[in-house]
Amino acid sequence: MMKQLITILFLIVNLNGFSQDTQNFPLLISGPMLGYVEHRSAYIWCEVSQEVKHASIRYWEYNNIDFFYEVDYTGPLGNPYNPIHFELPNLKMNMHYEYSIVLNYKEVEKQKPYQFHTKDLWQYRKDPPDFSFMIGSCSYINDEQYDRPGNAYGQDPAILTTMGNYSTDFMIWMGDNLYFREADYSSRVGMHYRYSYNRKTPQMRDLLSSRPNFAIWDDHDYGPNDSDESWELKDESLALFKKYWGNKTYGETNNEGIYSKISWSDCDFFLMDDRYHRSPDQILDSINGKPNCEKQFYGMQQLTWLENNLLNSFAPFKFIVTGSQVLNPLNKGECLRDYPCEYYELLNFIAEYKIDGIVFLTGDRHFSEVIKYQPKKGYPIYDITSSPLTSGVYNISGTPEFKNPDRVPETLVLENNFTVISIKGKPGERVLKMNSFNKAAEERSNFTVNEKDLKFK
């Protein structure tokens, strides 16, 4: 009997000790991150530990904490990886909100207030609001046990802190937002690890929580280097992308992928998927002197989706956001120009239907620049490339591309950088201004174009 009592007491002590350890274990693994924020709804993401049994978001109008709402998470918990999200309903328009994350019925401590602001209904009532947004691509966070031997490829993540401190309305991650290693893309578990590992980066926290974040992918956060539609784990990759990002939609019912459209003020953004339906780079560009339409970049259904949405857009600037460059004739890597059937289909469509205001936003290259393309008819089209955030820099000095005649002068940036784009001015006179900054927030390039310059005469 005494032996049984001692055993019971031993178990109680150890269970209590386990409980204490569990309480000390961080319940919030990463986040929060803001996804889309609309007039009456908002998307909030976070990742929680296996010990979380209950999760909710408590939110209230700014300076009115005595009257709060609470939304419970109703999905599965207790898994090795637990990315979860909340969609807050019935919000007021043009209202500033604060919120807290509640895990196991206790509010998570925070260093700064978590806040968001819903959109205003300006249409038919006032001029479109001025706004700004941030873009960047190629974010490599070092992880020695999985990195290749030699010098670390990831650069100083302090640039993410700089970005978090820079005030913009939202952020667009333009692909290679993380880099799958060989041990990652061999399995779904490996890819999940990489997403979770990157998202825990401390320097990223303020950037993710301080404004809505939207994303596309390129090859390294889709699968292996230069991966395409043939990659065997592409469906698992798509599922993970949806779990870790906060776009409003992904693809179409009858055509999977990550492509979607967002609108901000009077501008439209078409977030393109350049991987899920992409043909291998090695397929011939042309056969018998004619573009090979079997070689797909977006795939014809996605391209038709883009064309239809361009027809229905009245935005002064229509941003087409894609992982690879589009217009650069000297790009020897991956570029839409190397898929001539879709390249000429899109440019001819823009010319035929006189679609004003087209601007491409791209990543991938590990340097930043603005490429200018002048069609035989119509206005000049620009491709604004922003890269890299924390990955290695590709120094093109000494190559033919270094003096690219299609580059807008003084826009080449050969260091880690991010780009801020602002849209300002009265209707009919909206102005796009681009500025690129390094990790010390020092300006490295700038470029300005008026909406009047991007119109068919």
Side-chain angles (χ1 to χ4, degrees):
M1 183 71 178
M2 180 62 70
K3 184 177 180 181
Q4 291 176 333
L5 181 60
I6 292 172
T7 301
I8 292 171
L9 290 172
F10 176 80
L11 288 172
I12 291 173
V13 169
N14 277 276
L15 285 172
N16 285 338
F18 177 79
S19 177
Q20 289 297 318
D21 289 341
T22 299
Q23 290 176 1
N24 292 329
F25 190 85
L27 298 180
L28 181 65
I29 300 299
S30 61
M33 178 192 76
L34 279 175
Y36 69 85
V37 176
E38 293 294 343
H39 301 84
R40 293 184 291 180
S41 65
Y43 179 109
I44 298 173
W45 175 97
C46 62
E47 185 168 0
V48 299
S49 76
Q50 282 184 274
E51 284 72 26
V52 171
K53 307 303 179 186
H54 174 270
S56 64
I57 293 287
R58 191 171 292 162
Y59 61 102
W60 56 92
E61 295 173 17
Y62 185 68
N63 281 340
N64 192 17
I65 193 171
D66 293 332
F67 187 73
F68 64 83
Y69 306 87
E70 191 157 356
V71 173
D72 290 330
Y73 177 71
T74 57
L77 293 167
N79 298 309
Y81 300 102
N82 289 281
I84 65 175
H85 73 268
F86 303 84
E87 295 179 70
L88 308 187
N90 301 320
L91 302 175
K92 295 180 181 179
M93 296 186 296
N94 195 25
M95 179 64 68
H96 203 71
Y97 285 89
E98 291 187 292
Y99 67 95
S100 292
I101 300 171
V102 180
L103 301 179
N104 291 347
Y105 302 99
K106 183 178 179 180
E107 284 195 12
V108 175
E109 294 183 5
K110 50 193 174 185
Q111 295 180 338
K112 296 181 179 179
Y114 298 147
Q115 303 175 344
F116 63 88
H117 196 99
T118 54
K119 289 183 177 179
D120 189 16
L121 183 61
W122 59 270
Q123 292 90 337
Y124 303 104
R125 294 160 176 81
K126 59 184 81 170
D127 287 348
D130 295 342
F131 70 98
S132 65
F133 62 98
M134 195 177 295
I135 59 174
S137 66
C138 305
S139 179
Y140 189 105
I141 304 300
N142 293 328
D143 188 3
E144 186 176 359
Q145 62 177 326
Y146 297 110
D147 293 343
R148 295 178 183 179
N151 294 331
Y153 189 60
Q155 307 301 301
D156 190 352
I159 192 171
L160 300 171
T161 301
T162 303
M163 295 168 69
N165 291 332
Y166 201 105
S167 178
T168 62
D169 289 281
F170 60 97
M171 164 76 184
I172 301 179
W173 299 77
M174 298 197 302
D176 293 339
N177 307 315
L178 54 81
Y179 280 68
F180 289 132
R181 280 53 150 188
E182 291 82 358
D184 299 334
Y185 57 69
S186 62
S187 67
R188 183 182 184 279
V189 171
M191 292 190 294
H192 216 153
Y193 165 84
R194 183 57 51 205
Y195 262 103
S196 183
Y197 180 88
N198 263 52
R199 196 56 64 86
K200 287 186 287 189
T201 304
Q203 294 86 348
M204 199 179 292
R205 290 172 185 163
D206 286 349
L207 175 58
L208 294 176
S209 65
S210 60
R211 73 210 73 196
N213 289 263
F214 305 97
I216 60 169
W217 60 20
D218 199 34
D219 52 344
H220 293 290
D221 51 341
Y222 167 72
N225 185 47
D226 295 346
S227 44
D228 52 55
E229 66 177 352
S230 66
W231 187 50
E232 65 272 17
L233 292 179
K234 69 177 190 177
D235 289 329
E236 285 77 3
S237 186
L238 176 60
L240 281 172
F241 189 94
K242 293 178 181 179
K243 284 180 178 288
Y244 276 85
W245 290 109
N247 297 353
K248 193 161 50 174
T249 61
Y250 300 93
E252 298 172 271
T253 303
N254 61 345
N255 198 50
E256 291 275 25
I258 63 162
Y259 60 97
S260 63
K261 174 193 170 186
I262 59 175
S263 297
W264 203 280
S265 185
D266 56 344
C267 293
D268 288 332
F269 298 77
F270 306 95
L271 310 182
M272 303 301 291
D273 185 338
D274 68 343
R275 292 294 162 181
Y276 195 87
H277 300 281
R278 184 168 176 156
S279 300
D281 293 335
Q282 297 83 353
I283 290 182
L284 294 175
D285 299 352
S286 59
I287 298 175
N288 297 325
K290 296 182 179 180
N292 178 13
C293 289
E294 295 298 316
K295 187 174 186 179
Q296 300 184 116
F297 190 83
Y298 298 128
M300 288 309 298
Q301 183 163 333
Q302 182 182 182
L303 189 56
T304 298
W305 170 89
L306 173 62
E307 292 173 346
N308 290 339
N309 274 281
L310 291 175
L311 287 174
N312 288 315
S313 174
F314 298 97
F317 296 106
K318 303 171 182 67
F319 296 99
I320 301 176
V321 188
T322 194
S324 300
Q325 281 189 316
V326 173
L327 302 175
N328 186 357
L330 296 185
N331 183 343
K332 300 303 181 183
E334 295 185 301
C335 187
L336 180 58
R337 291 186 72 123
D338 296 327
Y339 292 67
C341 187
E342 292 189 16
Y343 175 75
Y344 289 113
E345 162 68 24
L346 179 56
L347 292 183
N348 290 339
F349 178 87
I350 291 169
E352 181 178 358
Y353 287 93
K354 294 183 169 51
I355 308 293
D356 296 333
I358 297 292
V359 178
F360 290 98
L361 304 178
T362 61
D364 176 57
R365 294 305 310 281
H366 297 262
F367 60 84
S368 292
E369 64 180 352
V370 180
I371 294 293
K372 178 182 179 180
Y373 169 74
Q374 179 61 64
K376 292 181 180 179
K377 296 181 180 180
Y379 60 87
I381 301 178
Y382 295 95
D383 185 343
I384 300 173
T385 299
S386 182
S387 173
L389 293 173
T390 66
S391 305
V393 177
Y394 175 34
N395 189 347
I396 60 172
S397 301
T399 71
E401 196 174 359
F402 183 64
K403 296 182 178 180
N404 192 338
D406 292 281
R407 181 185 303 120
V408 175
E410 308 300 324
T411 62
L412 179 64
V413 181
L414 297 176
E415 62 180 302
N416 294 100
N417 70 98
F418 64 96
T419 299
V420 174
I421 296 176
S422 64
I423 308 296
K424 296 181 178 180
K426 297 179 180 180
E429 301 177 4
R430 302 287 264 172
V431 175
L432 180 160
K433 184 178 182 182
M434 180 220 80
N435 302 86
S436 293
F437 301 93
N438 65 10
K439 69 178 181 181
E442 299 166 333
E443 184 179 288
R444 286 296 179 254
S445 73
N446 63 77
F447 165 73
T448 301
V449 63
N450 193 298
E451 72 163 294
K452 293 180 179 179
D453 299 326
L454 304 185
K455 288 183 179 292
F456 284 91
K457 305 303 181 185

